[in-house]
Amino acid sequence: MQQLGNIIPKPKLGSSVAPNKTEDHTAPIGHTSSKPIGVGSQLAKALISFHKTRPFAEEKAENSFFKKGNKSSTYASLEEAITVCRKAVDFDLTFTQNINFEDGEYFVSTIIMHSSGETLSDRTPIKCKDYNDPHKFFGSVSYARRYSILSSFSIPTADNDGISAMGWDQDDDPDPEPKSDLNSLIDNAKSQKELTDLYVKHKPTDDKIIQKFKTKKGELN
Protein backbone atom coordinates (compact mmCIF):
# COMPACT_ATOMS: atom_id res chain seq x y z
CA MET A 1 0.00 0.00 0.00
CA GLN A 2 1.47 3.37 -1.00
CA GLN A 3 0.23 6.70 0.20
CA LEU A 4 -0.17 9.73 -2.04
CA GLY A 5 3.09 11.64 -2.05
CA ASN A 6 5.27 8.56 -2.33
CA ILE A 7 6.99 7.82 -5.61
CA ILE A 8 4.52 5.67 -7.47
CA PRO A 9 4.14 4.84 -11.15
CA LYS A 10 1.66 6.98 -13.01
CA PRO A 11 -1.65 5.08 -12.90
CA LYS A 12 -4.11 4.62 -15.70
CA LEU A 13 -7.06 6.42 -14.21
CA GLY A 14 -9.46 6.62 -17.10
CA SER A 15 -11.66 3.84 -15.80
CA SER A 16 -14.35 4.53 -13.21
CA VAL A 17 -14.76 0.84 -12.33
CA ALA A 18 -13.70 -0.16 -8.83
CA PRO A 19 -11.54 -3.27 -8.28
CA ASN A 20 -13.66 -6.38 -8.74
CA LYS A 21 -13.28 -7.96 -5.31
CA THR A 22 -15.07 -8.22 -2.00
CA GLU A 23 -13.79 -5.81 0.63
CA ASP A 24 -13.68 -6.66 4.32
CA HIS A 25 -14.22 -3.27 5.95
CA THR A 26 -13.42 -4.53 9.44
CA ALA A 27 -10.00 -5.81 8.40
CA PRO A 28 -6.77 -3.86 7.84
CA ILE A 29 -6.64 -1.71 4.71
CA GLY A 30 -6.04 -3.80 1.64
CA HIS A 31 -7.36 -7.02 3.19
CA THR A 32 -9.95 -8.93 1.18
CA SER A 33 -12.13 -11.74 2.35
CA SER A 34 -15.45 -13.38 1.61
CA LYS A 35 -16.16 -13.63 5.35
CA PRO A 36 -16.27 -10.53 7.59
CA ILE A 37 -14.04 -10.40 10.64
CA GLY A 38 -15.77 -9.48 13.89
CA VAL A 39 -15.26 -6.03 15.42
CA GLY A 40 -13.45 -5.96 18.79
CA SER A 41 -15.83 -6.02 21.76
CA GLN A 42 -14.48 -2.83 23.37
CA LEU A 43 -14.72 -0.87 20.14
CA ALA A 44 -18.25 -2.20 19.59
CA LYS A 45 -19.34 -1.18 23.10
CA ALA A 46 -17.84 2.28 22.60
CA LEU A 47 -19.68 2.74 19.29
CA ILE A 48 -22.95 1.67 20.92
CA SER A 49 -22.43 4.22 23.70
CA PHE A 50 -21.62 6.90 21.12
CA HIS A 51 -24.74 6.07 19.08
CA LYS A 52 -26.89 6.37 22.20
CA THR A 53 -26.13 10.11 22.07
CA ARG A 54 -27.98 10.19 18.70
CA PRO A 55 -25.20 11.92 16.70
CA PHE A 56 -26.49 13.70 13.61
CA ALA A 57 -24.77 15.71 10.85
CA GLU A 58 -26.71 18.88 10.13
CA GLU A 59 -27.05 20.04 6.54
CA LYS A 60 -25.86 23.62 6.81
CA ALA A 61 -23.85 23.97 3.58
CA GLU A 62 -25.48 24.84 0.26
CA ASN A 63 -24.96 22.67 -2.82
CA SER A 64 -25.19 24.66 -6.07
CA PHE A 65 -25.12 21.33 -7.97
CA PHE A 66 -28.81 20.78 -7.18
CA LYS A 67 -31.34 23.61 -7.44
CA LYS A 68 -35.07 24.10 -7.23
CA GLY A 69 -35.80 27.49 -8.72
CA ASN A 70 -33.30 29.88 -7.14
CA LYS A 71 -32.81 27.76 -4.04
CA SER A 72 -29.85 25.39 -3.67
CA SER A 73 -30.11 22.09 -1.82
CA THR A 74 -28.21 21.67 1.44
CA TYR A 75 -25.77 19.03 2.62
CA ALA A 76 -23.57 18.13 5.58
CA SER A 77 -20.10 19.54 4.86
CA LEU A 78 -16.83 17.77 5.62
CA GLU A 79 -16.26 20.19 8.52
CA GLU A 80 -19.66 19.27 9.97
CA ALA A 81 -19.01 15.54 9.52
CA ILE A 82 -15.63 15.76 11.27
CA THR A 83 -17.03 17.89 14.10
CA VAL A 84 -19.79 15.35 14.79
CA CYS A 85 -17.48 12.32 14.61
CA ARG A 86 -14.88 13.93 16.89
CA LYS A 87 -17.45 13.81 19.69
CA ALA A 88 -16.75 10.06 19.78
CA VAL A 89 -13.52 10.89 21.65
CA ASP A 90 -15.69 11.04 24.79
CA PHE A 91 -16.07 7.27 24.34
CA ASP A 92 -12.34 6.61 23.75
CA LEU A 93 -12.79 6.58 19.99
CA THR A 94 -10.87 8.56 17.39
CA PHE A 95 -10.20 8.23 13.67
CA THR A 96 -7.77 8.99 10.89
CA GLN A 97 -8.22 9.40 7.13
CA ASN A 98 -5.51 8.83 4.52
CA ILE A 99 -5.29 8.79 0.74
CA ASN A 100 -4.11 5.45 -0.64
CA PHE A 101 -3.49 4.04 -4.09
CA GLU A 102 -4.06 0.42 -5.10
CA ASP A 103 -4.99 -1.51 -8.25
CA GLY A 104 -5.15 1.63 -10.40
CA GLU A 105 -7.41 3.60 -8.09
CA TYR A 106 -7.18 6.17 -5.32
CA PHE A 107 -9.07 5.59 -2.08
CA VAL A 108 -9.84 7.47 1.12
CA SER A 109 -9.04 5.08 3.96
CA THR A 110 -10.94 5.80 7.18
CA ILE A 111 -9.82 4.00 10.33
CA ILE A 112 -11.78 4.21 13.59
CA MET A 113 -9.53 3.48 16.59
CA HIS A 114 -10.40 2.59 20.17
CA SER A 115 -8.05 3.29 23.09
CA SER A 116 -7.73 -0.50 23.52
CA GLY A 117 -6.01 -0.72 20.15
CA GLU A 118 -9.01 -2.24 18.35
CA THR A 119 -9.77 -0.74 14.94
CA LEU A 120 -12.46 -0.65 12.28
CA SER A 121 -11.50 0.37 8.74
CA ASP A 122 -13.32 1.35 5.57
CA ARG A 123 -12.35 2.55 2.09
CA THR A 124 -14.16 4.86 -0.30
CA PRO A 125 -12.98 5.20 -3.93
CA ILE A 126 -12.07 8.69 -5.15
CA LYS A 127 -13.76 9.41 -8.47
CA CYS A 128 -12.52 12.39 -10.46
CA LYS A 129 -12.87 13.51 -14.09
CA ASP A 130 -9.31 14.88 -14.17
CA TYR A 131 -6.82 13.49 -11.65
CA ASN A 132 -4.15 15.92 -12.91
CA ASP A 133 -6.22 18.94 -11.85
CA PRO A 134 -5.48 19.55 -8.12
CA HIS A 135 -8.68 21.56 -7.64
CA LYS A 136 -10.89 18.80 -9.02
CA PHE A 137 -8.90 15.99 -7.40
CA PHE A 138 -8.89 17.40 -3.87
CA GLY A 139 -12.53 18.39 -4.28
CA SER A 140 -13.20 14.72 -4.98
CA VAL A 141 -11.04 13.78 -1.98
CA SER A 142 -13.18 16.00 0.27
CA TYR A 143 -16.32 14.43 -1.17
CA ALA A 144 -15.01 10.91 -0.50
CA ARG A 145 -13.78 11.82 3.01
CA ARG A 146 -17.19 13.22 3.93
CA TYR A 147 -19.12 10.13 2.91
CA SER A 148 -16.49 7.72 4.23
CA ILE A 149 -16.45 9.17 7.75
CA LEU A 150 -20.24 9.48 7.96
CA SER A 151 -20.62 5.92 6.73
CA SER A 152 -17.94 4.52 9.07
CA PHE A 153 -19.60 6.07 12.13
CA SER A 154 -23.13 5.47 10.76
CA ILE A 155 -24.01 9.14 11.19
CA PRO A 156 -27.43 9.92 9.67
CA THR A 157 -28.07 12.77 7.26
CA ALA A 158 -30.48 13.33 4.36
CA ASP A 159 -30.51 10.82 1.50
CA ASN A 160 -28.88 12.69 -1.38
CA ASP A 161 -29.46 9.69 -3.68
CA GLY A 162 -33.14 10.55 -3.72
CA ILE A 163 -32.64 14.27 -4.25
CA SER A 164 -33.39 14.21 -7.98
CA ALA A 165 -36.71 12.50 -7.28
CA MET A 166 -37.56 15.46 -5.06
CA GLY A 167 -37.54 17.78 -8.07
CA TRP A 168 -34.06 19.27 -7.79
CA ASP A 169 -32.36 20.16 -11.08
CA GLN A 170 -28.69 19.36 -11.78
CA ASP A 171 -26.09 21.71 -13.22
CA ASP A 172 -24.25 20.24 -16.19
CA ASP A 173 -20.72 20.48 -14.77
CA PRO A 174 -20.81 20.50 -10.97
CA ASP A 175 -17.84 20.93 -8.69
CA PRO A 176 -17.39 17.81 -6.48
CA GLU A 177 -17.42 20.01 -3.38
CA PRO A 178 -19.59 23.09 -4.09
CA LYS A 179 -18.31 26.57 -3.35
CA SER A 180 -19.24 28.06 0.00
CA ASP A 181 -19.26 31.60 1.32
CA LEU A 182 -15.77 30.99 2.73
CA ASN A 183 -14.45 30.44 -0.80
CA SER A 184 -15.69 33.88 -1.81
CA LEU A 185 -14.21 35.48 1.31
CA ILE A 186 -10.82 33.92 0.52
CA ASP A 187 -10.98 35.12 -3.10
CA ASN A 188 -11.81 38.67 -1.97
CA ALA A 189 -9.14 38.90 0.75
CA LYS A 190 -7.00 42.00 0.10
CA SER A 191 -4.17 41.46 2.59
CA GLN A 192 -2.26 38.80 4.51
CA LYS A 193 -3.85 40.03 7.75
CA GLU A 194 -7.36 39.72 6.35
CA LEU A 195 -6.56 36.20 5.11
CA THR A 196 -5.05 35.21 8.48
CA ASP A 197 -8.08 36.55 10.35
CA LEU A 198 -10.33 34.45 8.10
CA TYR A 199 -8.28 31.32 8.79
CA VAL A 200 -8.33 31.86 12.56
CA LYS A 201 -12.05 32.56 12.55
CA HIS A 202 -13.13 29.55 10.48
CA LYS A 203 -10.42 27.02 11.47
CA PRO A 204 -10.94 24.97 8.26
CA THR A 205 -10.44 21.19 8.24
CA ASP A 206 -11.33 20.67 4.59
CA ASP A 207 -8.16 19.96 2.58
CA LYS A 208 -9.54 21.87 -0.39
CA ILE A 209 -10.21 25.01 1.66
CA ILE A 210 -6.80 24.78 3.36
CA GLN A 211 -5.11 24.55 -0.04
CA LYS A 212 -7.12 27.56 -1.22
CA PHE A 213 -5.80 29.55 1.76
CA LYS A 214 -2.23 28.56 0.85
CA THR A 215 -2.72 29.52 -2.80
CA LYS A 216 -4.21 32.90 -1.88
CA LYS A 217 -1.40 33.52 0.61
CA GLY A 218 1.11 33.02 -2.22
CA GLU A 219 -0.79 35.46 -4.42
CA LEU A 220 -0.73 38.13 -1.68
CA ASN A 221 3.03 37.84 -1.04
Side-chain angles (χ1 to χ4, degrees):
M1 181 70 61
Q2 295 168 305
Q3 292 200 6
L4 190 64
N6 293 344
I7 300 176
I8 57 178
K10 187 175 181 180
K12 295 180 180 179
L13 296 167
S15 173
S16 61
V17 180
N20 184 22
K21 58 188 178 182
T22 302
E23 292 290 344
D24 174 11
H25 292 156
T26 63
I29 300 302
H31 176 83
T32 59
S33 173
S34 59
K35 295 182 179 180
I37 298 175
V39 178
S41 61
Q42 295 189 65
L43 188 149
K45 290 177 181 178
L47 277 176
I48 290 172
S49 296
F50 174 50
H51 287 155
K52 285 181 178 180
T53 67
R54 302 293 191 273
F56 183 82
E58 295 185 40
E59 299 180 350
K60 300 177 181 179
E62 291 191 351
N63 188 345
S64 58
F65 180 20
F66 293 102
K67 293 182 178 180
K68 182 184 290 184
N70 294 324
K71 183 180 179 181
S72 297
S73 69
T74 56
Y75 70 102
S77 67
L78 177 60
E79 291 91 336
E80 172 69 9
I82 289 176
T83 297
V84 172
C85 292
R86 278 180 177 167
K87 295 177 181 179
V89 73
D90 293 336
F91 304 93
D92 293 330
L93 293 170
T94 188
F95 63 91
T96 184
Q97 290 186 298
N98 300 304
I99 302 173
N100 301 122
F101 176 76
E102 184 181 354
D103 295 339
E105 284 204 83
Y106 287 109
F107 294 86
V108 166
S109 300
T110 298
I111 306 175
I112 299 176
M113 299 170 285
H114 185 257
S115 58
S116 65
E118 296 173 353
T119 62
L120 173 66
S121 60
D122 189 19
R123 297 199 309 181
T124 299
I126 300 170
K127 302 298 182 182
C128 182
K129 292 182 178 179
D130 185 359
Y131 289 84
N132 295 315
D133 184 326
H135 177 77
K136 291 182 178 179
F137 179 73
F138 284 103
S140 297
V141 169
S142 295
Y143 187 90
R145 286 185 64 195
R146 175 158 50 97
Y147 280 98
S148 181
I149 193 64
L150 290 174
S151 174
S152 295
F153 276 97
S154 297
I155 304 297
T157 183
D159 179 11
N160 283 340
D161 290 336
I163 200 165
S164 295
M166 295 167 60
W168 297 95
D169 299 321
Q170 287 190 27
D171 287 343
D172 292 332
D173 189 19
D175 194 19
E177 190 75 6
K179 287 190 176 182
S180 64
D181 291 339
L182 182 54
N183 274 288
S184 299
L185 292 173
I186 296 171
D187 288 335
N188 295 326
K190 304 299 182 183
S191 66
Q192 291 279 3
K193 183 180 183 304
E194 184 178 349
L195 190 67
T196 300
D197 290 343
L198 276 175
Y199 192 92
V200 172
K201 177 181 179 181
H202 292 276
K203 297 181 177 63
T205 56
D206 187 328
D207 292 337
K208 181 181 173 182
I209 295 295
I210 293 174
Q211 183 59 46
K212 191 174 183 71
F213 269 105
K214 291 179 180 179
T215 300
K216 185 64 176 182
K217 181 179 180 181
E219 295 174 355
L220 292 173
N221 280 339

